[in-house]
Amino acid sequence: MIIELEKGKNYAVRFYYKDCFGRQKRPYKSGFPTKKAAQLWELQEKARLEGENISSEKMTFGQLKKHWFESLKLKNASPKTIEKYEQYLSYVSEYLDHLPLQKINERVLGKIIEMHRSSPCTCNEIRKPVRAAFNYAIKKRWVRENPFYFVDMPTYKPKKYPAYDFDDMRELFSCMKAANSKLYIPTLCACFFSATREEVCALQETDISRMKNGKYRISLDKAVITVKGHSTIKTQKTENRRRSFIVSEAFYQELHSFKTTNGIMSPFVCCNRNGSNIQPNTISTHFAKFIEQNGLKYTTLHKLRDAFANGCKRLGIDLDTTFRMMGHSSYKVTAEHYASADDVLIDNAMTRIEKELLSVV
């Protein structure tokens, strides 16, 4: 309803609607110079209010994404995680965003997967965020079941490379130190602290403190987060990720060997030759090139966490200590995905079993 307050002067708008609690409301606004401006505001305001109370039959996948991302931000989800979800959902946006949730079924999703069936990795990237979005819709009672549960997915088997053993790590250290590579210190941090690229790049001199017994405590409580090309150093999101290590004077000096050799003054422990901190993507790119150029066994900086877990297992370090040093969210991740038994461990186990059983025969 549009009201003309004074002929030729201005207009006011009032209309009625019911909010999500069933209460009747009547928004009112005045001061519009023309009737057309008043009508435009009324249309926009009605659309906004209807969007808040939209029914499950009318809600589109695009609206679901908006609500889901807002909930992730409320839960303090990592900006990097949200960026990845947005990237993966870009594969399906043009097909799903305009469709109501009730019309998205396994046949529609199956067609999308069929388009990318030649790349099982891409299919897997699509499945994860879409399933998560529909799980959120189930939680909100907008849908009753997740249509992705009924979609046939191509088998995705990522390539598995054997983890580095102690000999491999010593060879890697030797090559990097001989080449005076800036990757030497990040590699030390990955092998000794099970540090990720993001943690390595954020490590600063202020994170290292001298203890009374002459040793040093190194705290890994920050990480570099790069979102849409902009990098920031943030405190670790979960308590498990904030961990500390105690090292000797000799290892402290080794952590500074690159800076000492090149006369670098920098607040960052891992840095470029000009003293600036290294970016995570730079580490990945240069690390891959270094491995290839030197003919070393394939690995990545992140896969050195596998080597750390296997090394702990071979040395007899208990699972609880390994779990806390790696900063995982649960023991299951440490036990199943990282510290898997390798040939050396199996060989040692079989030798002990043979010794016990054959000695009786």
Side-chain angles (χ1 to χ4, degrees):
M1 177 173 62
I2 297 175
I3 309 164
E4 187 177 1
L5 296 180
E6 187 179 338
K7 192 170 181 64
K9 292 292 182 181
N10 55 34
Y11 294 83
V13 178
R14 176 183 288 123
F15 63 90
Y16 299 87
Y17 84 102
K18 289 186 178 181
D19 65 10
C20 61
F21 302 106
R23 298 174 301 191
Q24 184 165 287
K25 301 284 185 179
R26 52 177 192 170
Y28 173 85
K29 188 175 181 180
S30 61
F32 296 101
T34 64
K35 189 173 183 177
K36 188 174 181 180
Q39 289 173 333
L40 180 62
W41 180 85
E42 182 182 10
L43 288 172
Q44 291 175 338
E45 190 66 9
K46 281 182 177 179
R48 185 182 71 81
L49 294 170
E50 286 175 3
E52 290 180 356
N53 303 315
I54 194 165
S55 65
S56 59
E57 290 79 15
K58 294 182 180 179
M59 176 173 283
T60 64
F61 187 76
Q63 292 169 326
L64 169 60
K65 284 196 310 186
K66 180 182 175 183
H67 287 290
W68 180 43
F69 284 139
E70 286 174 355
S71 75
L72 291 176
K73 290 174 184 176
L74 286 175
K75 293 177 181 177
N76 198 27
S78 168
K80 190 70 176 177
T81 300
I82 296 175
E83 184 188 39
K84 284 184 178 179
Y85 282 156
E86 289 175 343
Q87 179 187 346
Y88 297 156
L89 287 172
S90 66
Y91 292 112
V92 302
S93 292
E94 69 172 298
Y95 306 107
L96 298 183
D97 278 5
H98 65 286
L99 288 177
L101 297 184
Q102 303 296 337
K103 291 190 177 181
I104 301 176
N105 52 35
E106 63 271 18
R107 185 179 61 83
V108 173
L109 296 174
K111 286 285 186 182
I112 293 175
I113 292 299
E114 195 66 38
M115 296 178 195
H116 301 90
R117 195 167 288 276
S118 59
S119 174
C121 178
T122 302
C123 293
N124 194 51
E125 288 175 349
I126 292 172
R127 178 180 61 88
K128 285 182 180 179
V130 175
R131 280 185 64 173
F134 272 103
N135 283 338
Y136 176 75
I138 291 172
K139 178 182 175 183
K140 290 292 183 179
R141 298 181 183 175
W142 293 331
V143 294
R144 291 190 175 184
E145 59 187 12
N146 193 326
F148 230 122
Y149 288 153
F150 311 103
V151 177
D152 293 328
M153 294 289 294
T155 303
Y156 172 59
K157 292 183 178 179
K159 291 183 180 179
K160 290 189 176 182
Y161 298 93
Y164 265 37
D165 57 25
F166 291 123
D167 291 333
D168 295 326
M169 286 188 273
R170 280 191 286 265
E171 183 182 4
L172 179 60
F173 295 156
S174 177
C175 288
M176 285 187 169
K177 196 162 188 180
N180 191 26
S181 172
K182 64 182 179 182
L183 297 176
Y184 176 58
I185 307 305
T187 303
L188 280 184
C189 293
C191 291
F192 282 83
F193 309 140
S194 187
T196 63
R197 298 178 311 160
E198 293 75 16
E199 291 168 341
V200 162
C201 295
L203 186 61
Q204 300 179 53
E205 297 293 347
T206 52
D207 298 321
I208 304 176
S209 57
R210 187 179 178 86
M211 303 172 68
K212 292 182 179 179
N213 59 3
K215 292 190 175 184
Y216 291 84
R217 180 181 294 278
I218 298 177
S219 300
L220 295 180
D221 57 357
K222 295 187 289 293
V224 171
I225 304 297
T226 305
V227 179
K228 297 179 180 177
H230 298 286
S231 298
T232 54
I233 297 178
K234 291 193 173 184
T235 304
Q236 294 282 20
K237 186 177 66 174
T238 61
E239 194 67 33
N240 282 11
R241 297 296 296 177
R242 300 169 202 155
R243 54 206 196 278
S244 63
F245 300 83
I246 298 173
V247 299
S248 65
E249 171 76 30
F251 186 77
Y252 172 81
Q253 297 299 335
E254 191 65 24
L255 271 181
H256 292 78
S257 58
F258 178 74
K259 292 170 67 175
T260 303
T261 302
N262 296 281
I264 300 171
M265 296 294 292
S266 172
F268 294 97
V269 176
C270 305
C271 60
N272 296 303
R273 294 184 188 276
N274 62 0
S276 62
N277 68 314
I278 308 176
Q279 291 298 306
N281 287 341
T282 303
I283 288 183
S284 296
T285 305
H286 287 212
F287 193 90
K289 288 180 179 178
F290 187 90
I291 294 294
E292 185 178 356
Q293 289 170 357
N294 290 272
L296 297 170
K297 178 179 168 182
Y298 177 80
T299 191
T300 63
L301 194 83
H302 189 75
K303 286 184 180 297
L304 291 177
R305 283 167 59 84
D306 297 38
F308 177 88
N310 275 299
C312 288
K313 198 165 187 178
R314 288 189 191 182
L315 295 173
I317 298 172
D318 63 278
L319 179 62
D320 182 70
T321 303
T322 305
F323 158 73
R324 297 185 189 283
M325 288 195 292
M326 297 196 74
H328 288 146
S329 58
S330 69
Y331 289 100
K332 184 179 179 181
V333 179
T334 308
E336 292 185 8
H337 297 286
Y338 284 85
S340 56
D342 58 12
D343 288 343
V344 173
L345 295 171
I346 294 172
D347 179 45
N348 291 340
M350 290 306 300
T351 301
R352 292 171 62 185
I353 292 172
E354 287 176 11
K355 183 178 178 182
E356 289 297 326
L357 295 181
L358 294 180
S359 62
V360 180
V361 179

